[in-house]
Amino acid sequence: MFDVLVIGGGAAGLMAALTAGQHGRSVAVLEHGPEVGRKILISGGGRCNFTNQTMRADRFLSANPHFVKSAISRYQPSHFLDLLAKHRIAWHEKKLGQLFCDNSAHDIVQMLLNECAAARVRILTDVRVYDVSKSDVFRVQTSRGDMTARSVVLATGGLSIPKLGASRFAYEMARQFGLAVIQPEPALVPLTFGGESEEWVRSLAGLSLPVRVTCGKTTFEEALLFTHRGMSGPALLQISSYWSAGQPLFVDFLPGQDIAALLMKLKKEGSKAKGAGALARWLPQRLAHAMVELGAPERTLAEWADRDIRLMAQRVHSMELKPQGTEGFAKAEVTRGGVDTKALSSRTMEAQSVPGLYVVGEAVDVTGWLGGYNFHWAWASGHAAGEVAGAL
């Protein structure tokens, strides 16, 4: 018999467990893998982008855009930094407010384990959970026998990175208890292309450059990477969370500059450079040639009509590309969708129709931007659930 059983030993689960344990409750974490925190360990190139200095609700996607406000206002980046300071873990800030460990993501996992140990939380690995039911208390059927608890926290994540053991367990349990689930989809994921677009994109594989990419009303300005399968890089991963099948993307390959004005100036100067040679002054050479191959006069720039320059400028600053799909959950950093926030309390993460049942982290229909937001949602939602479950 435990006060709190946390199913899932990732970022959100460990935070929920140590927070509940600090209230003096008997807590156990049930992890189906051989170790806890595996997604933490591979994140941020092994240094874990654990949070972001700029923590705002508009950096998260959800059917209810206000849902995150309570948790992230009560558990802020400064709170996690205080925890790092307590354990003497050095960190640094990269671009756009992203915070990383100086040393290794292992430091974060060890810190969470040390906090769990101090709170007398039991960590059980290689435990399969078969079913969860509730009468007066929760009964959890596992590969180590039946366990009971007053509260259960579902922290088994989403479907991203299946090689780490991603599963539908949280969704299945949520539905079993009558909670709605919004269709899970890959997010922060590379996009793929078909037809002529595929050939054009693949011809540029390996090329990376800063761009501005737009989907609908959403725009990101960061690096884009062409791959043999399609497009990736921070800008593309960010916009992928907002992209739906059939939607076009518009890419500005030279943000902040006016290629029409630049080319017109060269024309007036009587430039003898041909299209690719002229464009290569501002664009990578391979991209300049690829732009010209899509259609441009063979003549020198001095012989281009003004209309030719306008058409090239439109291509450079607003190229329309239509992705065919994504590389799926195998390459997705997180999952979009999940347990419907309508079923949960935004303050406690508790299921409103099932007292004592909490859902946290990636399992919930909350998806953050690239750059530490998803980890912070794990800390904040886990802390919110642990505070309440531990106080009961």
Side-chain angles (χ1 to χ4, degrees):
M1 177 68 188
F2 292 91
D3 292 315
V4 183
L5 278 174
V6 179
I7 305 176
L14 292 173
M15 179 59 80
L18 69 88
T19 304
Q22 287 168 352
H23 286 271
R25 301 305 181 192
S26 59
V27 182
V29 175
L30 307 181
E31 167 58 41
H32 73 269
E35 60 182 341
V36 298
R38 285 181 293 170
K39 202 167 184 180
I40 298 173
L41 294 175
I42 69 167
S43 66
R47 291 191 174 181
C48 186
N49 180 193
F50 53 81
T51 190
N52 194 293
Q53 293 277 37
T54 308
M55 196 53 53
R56 303 201 313 254
D58 63 1
R59 304 295 170 92
F60 295 87
L61 291 79
S62 174
N64 177 2
H66 303 290
F67 185 80
V68 302
K69 291 180 178 178
S70 177
I72 67 172
S73 67
R74 288 180 292 117
Y75 193 86
Q76 300 179 10
S78 60
H79 292 107
F80 198 78
L81 292 178
D82 288 343
L83 193 57
L84 295 184
K86 174 183 174 183
H87 291 264
R88 299 181 179 179
I89 296 174
W91 55 273
H92 59 278
E93 180 177 346
K94 287 190 177 181
K95 61 179 183 178
L96 304 175
Q98 301 169 8
L99 304 186
F100 291 78
C101 295
D102 281 1
N103 182 34
S104 166
H106 285 274
D107 293 343
I108 299 292
V109 174
Q110 191 58 54
M111 174 188 76
L112 297 171
L113 287 174
N114 290 343
E115 288 288 319
C116 282
R120 297 185 178 181
V121 173
R122 292 184 63 186
I123 306 289
L124 305 175
T125 57
D126 289 316
V127 178
R128 295 286 173 178
V129 177
Y130 303 125
D131 191 37
V132 180
S133 58
K134 184 185 181 187
S135 52
D136 54 331
V137 295
F138 288 92
R139 183 172 298 278
V140 181
Q141 297 177 24
T142 82
S143 56
R144 295 198 184 184
D146 288 1
M147 303 180 188
T148 56
R150 294 185 177 88
S151 299
V152 166
V153 180
L154 295 177
T156 55
L159 300 178
S160 60
I161 319 181
K163 68 180 181 181
L164 295 184
S167 77
R168 296 181 176 274
F169 182 84
Y171 310 142
E172 292 168 354
M173 290 299 101
R175 290 191 179 102
Q176 183 172 302
F177 282 101
L179 312 185
V181 175
I182 294 175
Q183 179 64 36
E185 296 179 346
L188 298 180
V189 61
L191 298 180
T192 60
F193 294 80
E196 294 182 3
S197 294
E198 179 182 20
E199 294 179 15
W200 189 82
V201 168
R202 291 184 67 175
S203 73
L204 295 166
L207 178 65
S208 177
L209 75 162
V211 303
R212 182 184 294 125
V213 59
T214 301
C215 180
K217 296 181 180 180
T218 304
T219 297
F220 289 98
E221 189 169 330
E222 285 192 69
L224 173 74
L225 172 66
F226 290 93
T227 73
H228 289 290
R229 296 173 297 277
M231 289 182 176
S232 187
L236 201 284
L237 294 179
Q238 293 278 43
I239 210 70
S240 72
S241 295
Y242 294 83
W243 177 80
S244 297
Q247 281 187 294
L249 302 180
F250 294 91
V251 183
D252 181 351
F253 290 101
L254 199 63
Q257 298 199 60
D258 184 348
I259 193 65
L262 295 170
L263 292 176
M264 193 67 73
K265 184 174 183 292
L266 285 182
K267 176 186 175 179
K268 289 179 179 178
E269 293 171 352
S271 174
K272 300 299 182 181
K274 292 193 175 180
L279 286 173
R281 297 190 182 197
W282 301 282
L283 295 175
Q285 191 171 46
R286 287 170 62 198
L287 180 59
H289 280 282
M291 287 288 185
V292 169
E293 287 173 1
L294 290 174
E298 293 293 330
R299 303 181 298 277
T300 65
L301 194 62
E303 299 173 294
W304 276 29
D306 290 354
R307 178 177 177 275
D308 297 326
I309 290 178
R310 288 195 298 271
L311 288 173
M312 180 56 71
Q314 183 178 6
R315 189 176 301 146
V316 169
H317 289 302
S318 188
M319 176 173 282
E320 181 177 350
L321 293 168
K322 293 184 177 179
Q324 186 179 58
T326 76
E327 290 196 33
F329 288 111
K331 297 294 183 180
E333 296 202 12
V334 291
T335 303
R336 181 175 65 181
V339 177
D340 194 339
T341 58
K342 291 179 181 177
L344 306 175
S345 161
S346 63
R347 188 180 69 83
T348 66
M349 303 294 120
E350 187 175 22
Q352 298 183 36
S353 60
V354 189
L357 180 67
Y358 303 82
V359 191
V360 298
E362 193 179 344
V364 182
D365 173 35
V366 171
T367 305
W369 284 10
L370 191 71
Y373 294 98
N374 288 291
F375 270 125
H376 194 83
W377 170 245
W379 314 135
S381 60
H383 187 268
E387 279 279 287
V388 179
L392 296 176

